[in-house]
Amino acid sequence: MVNSPDNTASTIVDEQVPAGAPWARVIERGQSLRIIDIHGHQGVDFLCYNARQPEERYHAPNTLKAARTLRLTKGHVLYSDAARALFTISEDTCGTHDTIGGCCSAPSNEMLYGAANCPGCRENFLSALESFGLGRKDIVPNINFFCNVPVQADGRLADAVFTESHSHPGSYVELRAEMDALAVISNCPQINNPCNAGEPTAIRVMVLTHP
């Protein structure tokens, strides 16, 4: 059980997302989305959009340039391609999230690991986006919460790109919506690299409102 640091918050949504499954919802401005790694070592791919004009969406370069770091954590802002705030990271008990590796997919799993017919987070994103009238053209480089993609001093990545997560059971990240924002999650099904410790597990998702 994860307790909110804000005891005045009310819970709107509290549900589990099964291992390997997608999830999506509009988070209204001022509400918070909490993503909880129930068992630890589980990667969570994340995209977000302006819910009213979804052609405005998460933009990794703006976000990283504003943060001055590849390691996003509490206090950092997720910016759109129009350089407007979509979400602010209001709490973070893990501290290690990947901002460069992007989402896995059936084609990339075959390219990188020789694993044929192995769908990934891209396919989950496509499934979740369909009900909002969005599709392949709307998928951009995403954030991978609880994932570890270390960059060596010479700029090299690990052979598997992703290494073992630093997330522990109950680790969570909380995002405050700065506009009405569509949040899209793929609870990563990856088994070809260490991002899920070889065994994808369920996560818990909460939407909170504050007085």
Side-chain angles (χ1 to χ4, degrees):
M1 180 70 177
V2 178
N3 295 316
S4 172
D6 179 1
N7 293 326
T8 64
S10 299
T11 301
I12 299 172
V13 172
D14 187 346
E15 58 192 44
Q16 286 197 15
V17 181
W23 182 93
R25 182 183 173 92
V26 172
I27 312 300
E28 295 179 5
R29 181 180 180 183
Q31 292 180 345
S32 293
L33 171 65
R34 183 182 298 176
I35 305 168
I36 304 162
D37 185 2
I38 300 172
H39 302 286
H41 305 294
Q42 174 61 36
V44 177
D45 290 40
F46 181 82
L47 284 173
C48 53
Y49 306 77
N50 177 339
R52 308 307 167 199
Q53 295 180 304
E55 62 271 20
E56 180 180 7
R57 69 281 307 269
Y58 173 71
H59 192 263
N62 282 343
T63 298
L64 298 180
K65 285 183 289 188
R68 306 292 197 275
T69 178
L70 294 175
R71 296 290 190 182
L72 301 180
T73 189
K74 182 177 179 178
H76 288 136
V77 176
L78 310 187
Y79 282 100
S80 74
D81 56 317
R84 298 202 304 156
L86 289 160
F87 284 97
T88 297
I89 303 176
S90 56
E91 296 291 341
D92 177 17
T93 67
C94 175
T96 302
H97 310 289
D98 165 55
T99 56
I100 61 175
C103 63
C104 58
S105 67
S108 69
N109 282 332
E110 186 163 12
M111 175 188 72
L112 293 171
Y113 312 115
N117 302 313
C118 187
C121 291
R122 185 177 181 85
E123 288 76 19
N124 273 345
F125 282 150
L126 288 171
S127 175
L129 288 169
E130 185 177 8
S131 61
F132 295 91
L134 304 175
R136 179 178 175 181
K137 64 181 175 58
D138 301 298
I139 296 178
V140 295
N142 60 284
I143 300 173
N144 295 310
F145 289 122
F146 313 120
C147 286
N148 189 23
V149 177
V151 180
Q152 306 303 319
D154 62 357
R156 288 184 57 82
L157 303 178
D159 288 343
V161 181
F162 291 81
T163 61
E164 185 175 350
S165 172
H166 294 168
S167 181
H168 299 291
S171 291
Y172 71 95
V173 60
E174 191 163 313
L175 310 171
R176 183 181 66 247
E178 304 298 350
M179 64 171 71
D180 291 352
L182 171 61
V184 185
I185 285 171
S186 171
N187 190 19
C188 185
Q190 183 61 260
I191 57 173
N192 300 291
N193 70 47
C195 77
N196 297 325
E199 185 179 355
T201 56
I203 60 169
R204 181 180 172 194
V205 174
M206 302 176 71
V207 178
L208 306 171
T209 186
H210 306 269

